[in-house]
């Protein structure tokens, strides 16, 4: 519920006992009025009335003091509204149309309510219709509405705080996802490099084996040629060497032909998967940004006793609750056949309303509480 500060209570108390000086009141100062200007329709203290009299345009205004009042309330200033009409030259809002329940200046009434028969001059109307009870009702309603507004403001302040925290969490999720993607791409890069290096290694190893075979052929042919040269005077050895060299050369020639026919050039290249690149090109973010209703979480848990001296049953069966505009909580106690009003500040039962039957469900209807029972009856409880 909204709390009224001490200064506001003092201000209301002063306004109740005395009429306040209008200029001082506008400056948030409480000073008792000693004069009233019948033309300005404002109240003045002894200091402010001097400034009023010093202004030439206001010098002909009729200033009344308590001794000059002729309305039968001796010793008091006339009680008139000080609110001004912004629509018609800031005339005093001192007329009231009861049929339309609206206020205005005399021009407002002449223009908008000329056909109304229940238009009253406010100072005369309040003499016959004491507004005290209505003011109290309005004040209670204002307190309830102010409390609800403060409650809703707190909800939204907590929600903004939660959203800022949730936003940070979601941003961190995106950053972590980027790290995960980079790690995944690092792993894919390593696997791709290992794969391509393995392919090249196998091809190069095969070529190295072919080079070894060819080198062997080359060495054999050269050795045979050197041996023939070394025995040029020995015709028998030269003949044998020639036959051996011929055999070595033919074997080398056949091997060369075989290796030549089996030799093929290869390139191992890296090709990006078209689907992967196409998907990346089409992406403008890592994922979808979705707005969805937030789930409520239990913020605080508190055990509250709803026991009351009037209870006839020591056990309780709460079937329904509702929160009226006064800020309290109405509890339907089925086993004790009662409605209980719980104060949400002290968490104590303020009062109890006994019912003729067990309450089942309750709700607020036009400032009253509607109570349904299992017997299909509905009771209206005036709060």
């Amino acid at each position: 519920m909204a709390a009224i500060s001490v200064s506001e209570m003092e201000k209301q108390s002063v306004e109740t006992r005395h009429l306040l000086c209008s200029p001082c009141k506008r400056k948030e100062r409480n000073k008792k009025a000693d004069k009233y200007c019948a033309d300005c329709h404002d109240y003045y203290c002894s200091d402010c009335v001097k400034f009023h009299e010093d202004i030439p345009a206001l010098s002909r205004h009729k200033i009344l003091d308590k001794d000059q009042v002729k309305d039968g309330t001796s010793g008091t200033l006339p009680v008139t509204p000080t609110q001004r009409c912004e629509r018609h030259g800031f005339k005093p809002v001192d007329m009231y149309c009861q049929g339309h329940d609206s206020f205005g200046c005399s021009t407002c009434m002449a223009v908008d309510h000329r056909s109304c028969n229940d238009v009253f001059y406010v100072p005369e109307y309040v003499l016959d219709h004491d507004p005290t009870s209505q003011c109290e009702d309005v004040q209670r309603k204002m307190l309830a509405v102010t409390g609800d507004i403060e409650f809703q403001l707190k909800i939204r302040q907590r929600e903004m705080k939660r959203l800022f925290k949730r936003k940070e969490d979601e941003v961190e999720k995106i950053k972590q996802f980027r790290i995960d993607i980079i790690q995944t791409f690092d792993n894919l890069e390593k696997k791709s490099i290992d794969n391509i290096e393995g392919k090249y290694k196998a091809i190069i190893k095969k070529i190295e084996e072919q080079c070894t075979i060819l080198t062997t052929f080359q060495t054999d042919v050269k050795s045979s040629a050197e041996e023939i040269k070394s025995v040029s005077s020995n015709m028998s050895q030269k003949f044998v060497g020639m036959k051996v060299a011929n055999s070595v050369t033919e074997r080398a020639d056949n091997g060369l032909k075989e290796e030549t026919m089996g030799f093929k050039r290869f390139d191992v290249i890296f090709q990006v998967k078209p689907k992967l690149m196409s998907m990346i090109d089409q992406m403008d973010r890592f994922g979808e940004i979705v707005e969805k209703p937030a789930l409520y979480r239990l913020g605080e848990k508190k055990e509250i006793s709803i026991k009351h001296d009037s209870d006839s049953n020591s056990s309780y069966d709460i079937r329904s609750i509702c929160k009226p505009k006064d800020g309290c909580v109405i509890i339907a106690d089925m086993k004790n056949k009662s409605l209980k009003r719980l104060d949400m500040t002290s968490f104590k039962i303020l009062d109890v309303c006994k019912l003729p039957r067990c309450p089942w469900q309750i709700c607020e209807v036009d400032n009253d509480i509607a109570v349904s029972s299992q017997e299909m009856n509905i009771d209206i409880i005036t709060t």
Side-chain angles (χ1 to χ4, degrees), residues 58-90:
L58 308 179
S59 60
R60 292 183 176 274
H61 284 195
K62 187 172 183 179
I63 304 296
L64 303 177
D65 57 24
K66 296 177 181 179
D67 297 332
Q68 294 176 294
V69 178
K70 304 296 183 180
D71 60 354
T73 56
S74 177
T76 61
L77 295 175
V79 181
T80 62
T82 57
Q83 185 174 337
R84 301 292 175 155
C85 177
E86 298 181 2
R87 181 181 170 190
H88 298 111
F90 294 94

Side-chain angles (χ1 to χ4, degrees), residues 213-226 244-245 248-249 251-252:
I213 294 173
L214 292 175
T215 302
T216 301
F217 291 154
Q218 184 184 37
T219 302
D220 292 345
V221 172
K222 284 184 177 180
S223 298
S224 298
E226 291 294 332
V244 172
V248 170
T249 303
R251 186 168 62 250

Side-chain angles (χ1 to χ4, degrees), residues 11-277:
K11 181 178 178 181
Q12 292 178 359
S13 176
V14 170
E15 287 185 295
T16 302
R17 295 194 302 269
H18 307 293
L19 293 172
L20 300 180
C21 172
S22 299
C24 291
K25 185 178 178 181
R26 285 192 287 269
K27 297 177 182 178
E28 298 184 354
R29 296 198 299 261
N30 294 338
K31 197 168 183 180
K32 182 181 176 182
D34 298 311
K35 304 287 184 178
Y36 174 73
C37 178
D39 296 285
C40 294
H41 299 278
D42 271 336
Y43 297 95
Y44 296 92
C45 63
S46 56
D47 294 328
C48 291
V49 75
K50 295 178 182 178
F51 293 104
H52 180 280
E53 292 172 347
D54 290 341
I55 300 174
L58 308 179
S59 60
R60 292 183 176 274
H61 284 195
K62 187 172 183 179
I63 304 296
L64 303 177
D65 57 24
K66 296 177 181 179
D67 297 332
Q68 294 176 294
V69 178
K70 304 296 183 180
D71 60 354
T73 56
S74 177
T76 61
L77 295 175
V79 181
T80 62
T82 57
Q83 185 174 337
R84 301 292 175 155
C85 177
E86 298 181 2
R87 181 181 170 190
H88 298 111
F90 294 94
K91 292 183 177 181
V93 180
D94 55 3
M95 303 299 292
Y96 172 61
C97 177
Q98 189 175 22
H100 292 96
D101 192 27
S102 62
F103 292 88
C105 66
S106 56
T107 305
C108 289
M109 294 300 148
V111 174
D112 301 328
H113 301 271
R114 67 180 69 183
S115 60
C116 299
N117 298 321
D118 49 1
V119 176
F120 301 93
Y121 180 52
V122 171
E124 295 177 353
Y125 181 82
V126 297
L127 293 176
D128 299 327
H129 304 81
D130 187 1
T132 303
S133 61
Q134 294 183 13
C135 289
E136 292 175 352
D137 292 339
V138 171
Q139 286 179 338
R140 282 195 294 269
K141 185 176 180 181
M142 290 169 62
L143 286 174
V145 171
T146 303
D148 290 341
I149 292 174
E150 290 182 356
F151 179 71
Q152 292 297 326
L153 283 173
K154 289 180 180 179
I155 290 177
R156 281 150 182 79
Q157 289 168 356
R158 288 197 300 267
E159 179 65 8
M160 286 192 293
K161 185 177 180 180
R162 186 192 71 83
L163 287 173
F164 280 122
K165 178 63 171 60
R166 188 59 184 268
K167 181 198 71 174
E168 293 176 358
D169 293 342
E170 295 303 312
V171 170
E172 287 301 318
K173 283 173 60 178
I174 294 174
K175 292 180 179 179
Q176 184 60 46
F177 183 64
R178 175 181 175 273
I179 294 174
D180 294 341
I181 288 178
I182 292 175
Q183 183 63 46
T184 301
F185 274 91
D186 287 343
N187 294 334
L188 291 175
E189 178 189 26
K190 185 177 182 303
K191 290 180 180 179
S192 299
I193 292 174
D194 290 345
N195 186 261
I196 199 169
E197 285 184 345
K199 294 286 186 182
Y200 271 106
K201 185 177 181 180
I203 295 173
I204 292 172
K205 183 179 180 181
K206 186 175 181 180
I207 294 175
E208 287 176 344
E209 292 173 351
Q210 293 173 350
C211 289
T212 301
I213 294 173
L214 292 175
T215 302
T216 301
F217 291 154
Q218 184 184 37
T219 302
D220 292 345
V221 172
K222 284 184 177 180
S223 298
S224 298
E226 291 294 332
E227 185 175 350
I228 292 174
K229 288 180 181 180
S230 66
V231 293
S232 57
S233 60
N234 187 342
M235 298 303 292
S236 297
Q237 182 59 36
K238 188 173 184 180
F239 175 75
V240 173
M242 181 189 64
K243 292 297 182 178
V244 172
N246 184 59
S247 177
V248 170
T249 303
E250 287 182 355
R251 186 168 62 250
D253 185 48
N254 292 332
L256 177 61
K257 291 178 179 179
E258 183 178 345
E259 292 297 329
T260 302
M261 292 180 61
F263 178 72
K264 293 181 181 180
R265 300 176 64 207
F266 290 95
D267 281 329
V268 180
I269 63 174
F270 171 73
Q271 292 181 331
V272 179
K273 291 185 177 181
K275 290 184 178 180
L276 177 61
M277 285 306 302

Side-chain angles (χ1 to χ4, degrees), residues 287-300:
E288 295 298 327
I289 308 300
V290 181
E291 182 177 339
K292 63 180 182 179
L295 297 177
Y296 283 96
R297 292 186 296 179
L298 180 63
E300 182 181 0

